[in-house]
Every structure is written in C-alpha cells, then in structure tokens.
Amino acid sequence: MTGPVSSADEWERTEGAPWPPGASWVEAEKAYNFALFSRHARSVTLLFYTERDPANPVHSRVLDPVLNRTGLVWHCRVPEEELCGAALYAYRVDGPYDPSRGHRFDPQKVLLDPFASSVYFPPGYSRSAAMEPGPTDGKAPLGRLSRGQKPFDWGTAPPPRHTHDLIVYELHVRGFTARANSGVSRDKRGTFAGLTEKIPYLKDLGITAVELLPIHQFDPQEGNYWGYMTLNFFAPHQGYASGDPDGEFRSMVKAFHEAGIEVWLDVVYNHTSEGDETGPTYSYRGIDNRSYYLTRRDSGEYFNDTGCGNTLNCAHPVVRALVLCSLQHWAIDMRVDGFRFDLASIFTRTLDGSVNTVDPPLIAEISLFGYFREVRLVAEAWDINSYLLGRSFPGLMWRQWNGKFRDDVRAFVKGDPGMVGALMQRLYGSDDLFPEGPVEVYRPYQSVNFITAHDGFCLYDLTAYNEKHNEANGHDNTDGTNNNLSWNCGWEGDSGVPEEVMTLRRRQVKNFFCLLMLANGTPMFCAGDEFMNTQKGNNNPYNQDNEITWLDWDLLEKNRDLFRFFRLMIAFRKARPSIGRGRYWRGDVRWYGPTGGVDLSRDSRTLAYCLGGQSLKDKDLYVMINAYWEDLEFTVQEGRADEWLRIVDTGLPSPEDIAEPGKGQLVPSLEYRVRARSIVILER
C-alpha cells in the first residue's frame, strides 16, 4: 500500500516507522518508508531492482532486529537517492522452516510485499519456480514503488445509490467483451475499457449495478480464469487493461457513475493463490505462514475451509489490517460502491479455526467501514464447512447471496412436488432467513435473490441440460455440483433440438426471470442470461478462458425477443416500488390458488396472489403461476374484469408475452386460461 505520510519523530527518519504497512512515500524527506509484519522472522532483507534487471538487486538493506523493528513490525526509511534508479522492491525473510509447526520460511525465495500497491511480473516470471526448492531471483513477482495515487479528474457526477430500482448484473470483465462479435474496439476486448464501451447496452437493459468477478491481481499462471486465486489485494489485474490498470479502472468507474450505475467488486479475502503445502511461495507464506494462514497447531497442516488449499487467518490483526486497508483503497482511491465477499463465513473463524458467530472482529470492522464509507456489503455466507445464510451470519446490516432462493425457485419451475410454500416464502422476501424480530430486525432487501451466477449453470443451460458436461475442465467431469435442479425440457443439449422443446425452453427462461423480478429483495442475474448465452452444459468453467465462457453476442441478435422480455420485465419492476420494498409485504398481499385458497399439498404446482400497491401509491398486481405440465383455468379472485390489464403472459409468443409500458391488454373475463408452465401478470 503506497501513499504519502508525514514524519514527526527524529528516529523515524533513520530507523523508519511501523505504520502504514507497505511502501509509503514521505514527501518531506524524499524517501520511502517500508513496514513489514512478521512475528516469527529472524532476519529481513529489503531488495531493490530496476526493470532492466529484475533478477539482480541494485541495492539492498538488511534490517537490524533492534533498530528496525517495533513490536512485530520490521521497518526502515530509505532515501530515494540511495535507490540507484530502482523502481521495484521485494524481501527476503529468514526464519524457522518447520512445517509441522506451521513455519515455512525460505531465504532463497524473493517475496512480494502483501501491501504492495502494484505488481511487476519479470519476463522470467515462473509459478513452477516458486513451487520448487531453490531461488526465485528474476522469476518472482515484485512490488512497484510509487509516490501515491496519480491525480485523477473524477468529474462532478455523484456516486449513484439505488433503492427499489436496484438491479444487479454479475459479469466477468474479460468474458463480457472477449469475442470479436462483442462489438467493442479490437484493442479493448476483454478489458475495463471494453466494458466501458458496453455501458449504453447495460443502460438499455436497465442495469443499475454491475458486480464484477474478481479484478484484484491474480496469478496469471495459476489457471483460474474467474480470478479467485488472488495474488495481491491492492492492484487491478493487469490482464484487464491495455495500458495503465489503475487509470483504466478509474476511468471505467467514472463512466459507470456518469451513467448512474453502481460498481461492486467480488473480493476474495478468504484464501490466496499460494494454495496448499505444494503451492508456490510468493509472499504471505514466506513472510509469516502461521500468522497469515490458519494452520493446525498439532501438525502445521493448512485448514482448507475454502476448498482452495489454504484459508486466511482472518482473526489475526495483520490479516484484518490487510483486508481493511485494501477495502479503503478500493472505496476511497478507486470509488467502488460495494463489495461482495466470497466465502464470507471464513471471517467468523477464530485463531484456532473454530467458528465465532457472536462477535467476530473482522465482520464488525468491515461493518463499521461500510457504514462510515457508505458502501454496500454483500456476503456469500457459507464456505466448505460452514453454512451461515440468514440470521446465522453475524453481519446484521449486510446483504447476503440467497442460495435458498436459487434452489427453491429452480425446483418449483422445473416442476418438483411440494414447492408452493417455499415459493411463497421466497417471493415474500425470505423472512424465514431474514426475520423482522422480535430481537433483530432484518429487511427483505438484504436478500440478494438470484437463480444463476458464475458458479453453476447459466440460465439457458438450466433449461437445456439435466447433467453437467465439464469434460473440458480436465477433471473427468468430477468437478462442479451434481445438484443443479435443472430440467432439459425433454432433450439433452443443443444438437437437433425439436422446435417444441426450444419453445418450452424459451418459456422456462422467461418464467425464471419473471419470478426473479416479482420477488421482494434485491435481484441479481448473470451476464448473457438475457439472450440465452450458453456454456454448453459446463457448470464450473473456472479454468476456461475461451469461447465456453466468452459471451456470444451473436445470440443477442438471434434471441432479441428474450432480450426484449428481460428489458421490459426490468422496467416493470423498477416502475413498481410495491414489489421491492424496504419492509415485507405484510397485509398488502393475499394468496390464492387457481380458483380458491392456496393449495399447499405435495402435488400442487400452482399459485396466485394479489399484491396491493395503495400503501405506496402504486397499482395492484394479480399474478397467476402455473408450473404444471397442462393448461389450467384460473379465476381472478379480486376486482372486476374491466379493471385488469394483462401485462405479462409467458405462454404467449413475442411480442404478446409482455406489453410495452402503458399498453396492457384488457382481460375480457375473470376466468383466465393459464398455459402449461407459464406465468401471467395482471395490473389494476
């Protein structure tokens, strides 16, 4: 982490200061201050390099364990004139090598500062060298020295802040525009600048927040295309920029803000790219393995609650400082509006690996940070060994990805028995997970409702595949979940699909999205779902940087009718504050069956309800849902026929399936035939 600091004490001018962590420019002294936490190190050497020769340091500084250490922090002050033109730096750290006690020091390894603000990869950069015994000179990532953030003109547009009209769109920066048919400039495909060119498309669709899959600098040789193997938590991934990553990222954020769209980041503060005991030594492991990672005290073995080989020690002060400094950088210097925390239940782990859901310090600190900086906080409230969805997660004011919404809506739409009650709960806002009291009061918008995300089937594949098809991933189709709750509509895959099957798939896609837009809470969907993008049945394409994961924009032209349905359904929700409320629907909703009361029996696959809008000066809605495989007669059980306009009928072909604003069709009778596997929305 780099930034200007002031010097107040004489001894700091010669010995350095223990705070802030990382490399900080001291303008008054024309010098850099370096601070590195390591509880168990015996010696620390600071190395300086030029880009011309990143293998041989032009200057080094051995830190004195008495003069250059305060508490557990090693520090020094180095005048710029002593650097011999160096612009890069790293460390060698020596200490005990005793894996059985969790120590993995190796003085032959060149180590990246965990708080470095920018990362340099030398031409000889090698992940395999970092995994093997021996030196990594010229092969290790280095930190880049900086005098702080360059000035940037943010303009006058205020940060957007959406309420009932919040529509979250999860996307991968590279995959969104990597294909030639994305329509962006050739040199900007797969970059922040390419994404910026797509803002008019997102505005037309109705998106008000983009949630970007991880953009922190990840290991370019590890193979995780999604970006979930973070190397550094302060720098934008260099592969997403054609020039200066910081500048291009900030230009992108500025453009989104000018368009009224929030920018959220998916952040991975639960593990790093160093993996398990066979993984590379880049940084954290070689600086202080036992402090940065959770290890078993009896064997030194890594806890693997993340499924990625290691687990960050999130109760430790240095890891908490790392997370909070990183968040501050992205929220203040880069003006990010929100964060989605991957595997956030890791934050409840104590120093011995047990779960503390009463008062985990990092969650409390992030909560205060979110409050003071006015940024969104969203938890994926589970990990490999802990499922804390809902009130079990101790972040009282956080939003949470609602995996129960995903599973229940998938099961209902595919026609599973006994799902009517669960669907009612999810549409209402999931008050079973986010209760209104009596001790704690949650809000329905804390439920981030989704049916698809990067992890799992995309929306079209949910209607086209009964089984995953992950052969391309190289794990003999053993990776990825088998519990997809999908239904292929009677035909597996895309080869030779009968017309009637494709018609049903299109209807099911509309049904899924219709329920998502009708539910109380915060809706989120995945990029490409709006034009039936496919990953050919791959439900875990984490290592597929190719046409499996790159959006195919030709499908937008092929499926313009689906895009139209999504666009109008989004506009429908945003124009009706009675759907997404600050509170639950309470007495404004009346539940029905096709002709009488709600049928909650196991064999029931139908539901109807009337949502009153008068309390919010909105219009009343009457919704009829038929997940049965035959047409059924419904009776509208409120009002008169001449009061109701048909807005949506997913059983009708486009453009009759959804009306343009102000052009609803009057229903001739309170008797309405709802086609098999379809949804009808009326408005009074």
Side-chain angles (χ1 to χ4, degrees):
M1 185 180 71
T2 304
V5 297
S6 60
S7 178
D9 300 310
E10 180 61 35
W11 55 79
E12 289 182 356
R13 295 190 178 98
T14 56
E15 300 165 8
W19 191 267
S24 304
W25 174 250
V26 185
E27 176 63 30
E29 300 173 27
K30 304 298 181 186
Y32 287 97
N33 190 86
F34 297 89
L36 182 77
F37 176 96
S38 183
R39 174 186 290 271
H40 300 102
R42 288 195 290 250
S43 70
V44 174
T45 303
L46 186 54
L47 309 170
F48 297 95
Y49 304 84
T50 63
E51 289 191 28
R52 187 172 55 255
D53 186 2
N56 298 291
V58 294
H59 182 64
S60 63
R61 175 76 69 91
V62 178
L63 275 59
D64 187 303
V66 175
L67 297 179
N68 299 117
R69 187 169 62 171
T70 300
L72 304 174
V73 178
W74 299 71
H75 50 81
C76 70
R77 187 73 53 90
V78 181
E80 186 178 36
E81 62 187 19
E82 293 184 15
L83 297 182
C84 304
L88 310 170
Y89 76 106
Y91 289 95
R92 292 191 195 278
V93 182
D94 196 7
Y97 182 80
D98 186 354
S100 67
R101 297 179 57 224
H103 298 308
R104 295 181 176 271
F105 290 97
D106 184 350
Q108 295 190 83
K109 293 292 187 284
V110 174
L111 302 174
L112 175 68
D113 181 357
F115 290 81
S117 63
S118 181
V119 180
Y120 173 81
F121 294 97
Y125 170 68
S126 171
R127 179 178 175 86
S128 60
M131 298 173 70
E132 299 165 356
T136 53
D137 300 78
K139 303 175 182 179
L142 308 174
R144 189 184 295 275
L145 292 172
S146 169
R147 295 191 178 191
Q149 286 288 326
K150 299 175 183 177
F152 185 81
D153 179 11
W154 285 102
T156 58
R161 190 77 171 183
H162 296 279
T163 53
H164 77 275
D165 62 338
L166 183 57
I167 308 291
V168 185
Y169 188 78
E170 189 200 38
L171 65 86
H172 187 284
V173 170
R174 175 163 167 75
F176 196 63
T177 63
R179 284 192 194 238
N181 63 11
S182 65
V184 306
S185 306
R186 184 186 184 93
D187 61 337
K188 295 179 181 178
R189 293 173 192 161
T191 68
F192 300 126
L195 179 54
T196 302
E197 288 192 8
K198 280 293 186 181
I199 288 177
Y201 170 82
L202 298 174
K203 285 280 290 181
D204 183 40
L205 181 56
I207 302 305
T208 51
V210 291
E211 181 175 299
L212 308 182
L213 266 69
I215 58 87
H216 289 166
Q217 180 64 61
F218 55 88
D219 186 346
Q221 294 183 357
E222 191 277 333
N224 190 295
Y225 159 78
W226 280 343
Y228 284 94
M229 297 298 276
T230 310
L231 175 65
N232 171 274
F233 294 101
F234 295 88
H237 184 63
Q238 294 173 20
Y240 296 160
S242 57
D244 170 31
D246 272 20
E248 290 188 23
F249 181 86
R250 292 200 282 179
S251 293
M252 179 197 72
V253 172
K254 177 183 177 181
F256 271 105
H257 285 180
E258 289 173 344
I261 299 175
E262 300 181 31
V263 178
W264 300 3
L265 300 185
D266 189 338
V267 288
V268 191
Y269 297 118
N270 58 77
H271 71 278
T272 79
S273 63
E274 290 187 316
D276 61 17
E277 64 276 358
T278 67
T281 299
Y282 288 133
S283 178
Y284 317 92
R285 171 176 293 150
I287 290 170
D288 195 346
N289 188 67
R290 265 183 59 166
S291 294
Y292 275 103
Y293 296 118
L294 274 174
T295 59
R296 302 188 187 280
R297 292 297 181 251
D298 57 344
S299 65
E301 179 186 4
Y302 287 110
F303 282 81
N304 188 20
D305 297 312
T306 64
C308 298
N310 64 57
T311 302
L312 278 170
N313 191 4
C314 291
H316 194 284
V318 71
V319 177
R320 286 153 51 196
L322 179 73
V323 172
L324 292 167
C325 288
S326 172
L327 291 173
Q328 177 167 300
H329 167 67
W330 291 100
I332 297 175
D333 299 332
M334 310 299 252
R335 300 207 179 179
V336 165
D337 304 291
F339 300 92
R340 178 266 187 187
F341 295 87
D342 182 64
L343 301 182
S345 60
I346 293 296
F347 298 164
T348 68
R349 293 295 192 280
T350 65
L351 294 173
D352 64 5
S354 60
V355 174
N356 167 23
T357 59
V358 178
D359 56 352
L362 183 55
I363 290 179
E365 290 159 351
I366 294 174
S367 298
L368 284 173
F369 166 82
Y371 172 75
F372 286 119
R373 296 299 177 189
E374 296 185 332
V375 296
R376 315 275 198 177
L377 305 176
V378 183
E380 183 185 39
W382 55 80
D383 57 45
I384 297 300
N385 297 308
S386 178
Y387 192 78
L388 302 177
L389 177 61
R391 66 184 306 175
S392 297
F393 185 76
L396 185 61
M397 296 181 292
W398 295 39
R399 284 175 166 84
Q400 298 180 36
W401 269 27
N402 191 343
K404 283 287 291 177
F405 184 97
R406 173 198 61 204
D407 296 345
D408 289 344
V409 172
R410 285 187 179 193
F412 177 85
V413 171
K414 74 186 284 281
D416 284 357
M419 295 305 301
V420 172
L423 179 67
M424 293 169 63
Q425 194 100 61
R426 301 304 150 229
L427 291 171
Y428 187 72
S430 295
D431 62 331
D432 57 331
L433 301 172
F434 305 95
E436 286 189 287
V439 178
E440 300 165 333
V441 177
Y442 291 85
R443 302 293 191 101
Y445 59 73
Q446 292 180 257
S447 171
V448 176
N449 300 330
F450 68 103
I451 298 165
T452 59
H454 66 279
D455 191 4
F457 278 150
C458 55
L459 195 56
Y460 172 72
D461 288 2
L462 199 59
T463 71
Y465 295 91
N466 282 355
E467 308 294 335
K468 66 186 182 186
H469 296 269
N470 297 359
E471 291 80 7
N473 298 350
H475 306 295
D476 296 322
N477 206 35
T478 60
D479 63 305
T481 182
N482 294 315
N483 184 32
N484 295 291
L485 295 170
S486 62
W487 179 52
N488 63 15
C489 297
W491 191 277
E492 186 75 1
D494 274 335
S495 178
V497 184
E499 183 178 350
E500 64 271 17
V501 171
M502 186 57 70
T503 297
L504 179 55
R505 289 179 180 177
R506 301 172 86 84
R507 186 186 306 171
Q508 290 288 73
V509 167
K510 289 187 283 187
N511 289 337
F512 277 122
F513 195 68
C514 196
L515 292 175
L516 179 64
M517 290 297 109
L518 286 171
N520 202 359
T522 300
M524 183 193 81
F525 67 103
C526 200
D529 283 347
E530 68 273 18
F531 51 76
M532 293 170 60
N533 188 66
T534 178
Q535 295 177 160
K536 306 300 182 183
N538 194 324
N539 74 354
N540 188 41
Y542 75 97
N543 60 358
Q544 299 299 317
D545 185 4
N546 50 48
E547 293 191 348
I548 292 176
T549 53
W550 300 348
L551 294 194
D552 183 358
W553 290 90
D554 286 347
L555 293 173
L556 174 60
E557 297 307 315
K558 180 180 179 181
N559 299 310
R560 274 284 175 186
D561 59 323
L562 263 296
F563 175 83
R564 174 183 178 273
F565 185 88
F566 275 58
R567 177 176 59 81
L568 291 177
M569 198 68 224
I570 289 171
F572 174 84
R573 177 189 175 90
K574 289 164 66 174
R576 289 158 182 82
S578 61
I579 298 176
R581 304 189 183 192
R583 294 291 188 187
Y584 291 96
W585 290 345
R586 294 193 180 100
D588 283 347
V589 65
R590 278 88 61 194
W591 303 97
Y592 302 104
T595 58
V598 181
D599 182 358
L600 295 173
S601 69
R602 175 175 170 80
D603 293 332
S604 174
R605 292 172 174 84
T606 59
L607 178 67
Y609 66 91
C610 183
L611 178 62
Q614 291 185 2
S615 63
L616 293 174
K617 298 181 180 180
D618 200 359
K619 298 177 181 179
D620 295 345
L621 303 178
Y622 198 93
V623 179
M624 295 174 281
I625 305 168
N626 180 16
Y628 193 54
W629 40 86
E630 294 180 6
D631 296 357
L632 293 174
E633 293 291 340
F634 278 66
T635 299
V636 179
Q637 299 180 56
E638 296 203 15
R640 306 184 309 273
D642 60 0
E643 291 182 328
W644 294 106
L645 298 175
R646 188 189 73 218
I647 307 299
V648 172
D649 186 339
T650 64
L652 296 176
S654 181
E656 288 82 15
D657 55 353
I658 185 167
E660 297 282 346
K663 296 184 179 180
Q665 296 293 312
L666 192 67
V667 296
S669 167
L670 292 177
E671 305 300 317
Y672 196 102
R673 189 171 185 81
V674 181
R675 291 164 180 80
R677 300 187 188 275
S678 62
I679 299 171
V680 175
I681 304 175
L682 309 179
E683 182 175 79
R684 180 152 55 185

